[in-house]
Amino acid sequence: MEKVDVNGQQKSPVYQFLRQTAGDGDIRWNFNTKFIVHCHDNEGTCEITRHDGGFVTSAQALRSAQPKKIDLNQMRSEL
């Protein structure tokens, strides 16, 4: 792993995807923005939620947020 840009024109493709999927807006400094990715292998889907500020556990995130569900099979076919 290496340092990557998470905001601006040169942002990493991973963060570009996360922001498009779970909510755009600048990622806040010092780990204040978190993305929780929960995948269901048997369904071929993942749920992605974005959390800005504060401490959050994955269990809290999955209970409190409105996850954005993505279909992994569809994404693979588009690549």
Side-chain angles (χ1 to χ4, degrees):
M1 299 209 55
E2 62 187 41
K3 184 176 178 178
V4 297
D5 288 333
V6 297
N7 295 313
Q9 294 291 327
Q10 302 298 317
K11 68 181 156 273
S12 160
V14 171
Y15 284 95
Q16 184 174 350
F17 170 78
L18 289 170
R19 288 172 62 174
Q20 288 173 348
T21 304
D24 209 2
D26 280 352
I27 293 175
R28 296 173 58 185
W29 181 79
N30 201 23
F31 305 101
N32 208 15
T33 299
K34 297 150 194 79
F35 293 93
I36 307 289
V37 180
H38 180 93
C39 293
H40 308 278
D41 291 335
N42 57 338
E43 297 175 17
T45 61
C46 289
E47 297 172 344
I48 302 174
T49 55
R50 177 183 173 141
H51 305 273
D52 289 299
F55 178 78
V56 64
T57 66
S58 5
Q60 290 171 321
L62 293 172
R63 281 193 303 268
S64 67
Q66 297 298 320
K68 194 86 162 200
K69 195 172 238 183
I70 58 170
D71 185 330
L72 297 177
N73 295 320
Q74 179 181 354
M75 286 185 64
R76 286 185 190 114
S77 68
E78 292 173 2
L79 294 177

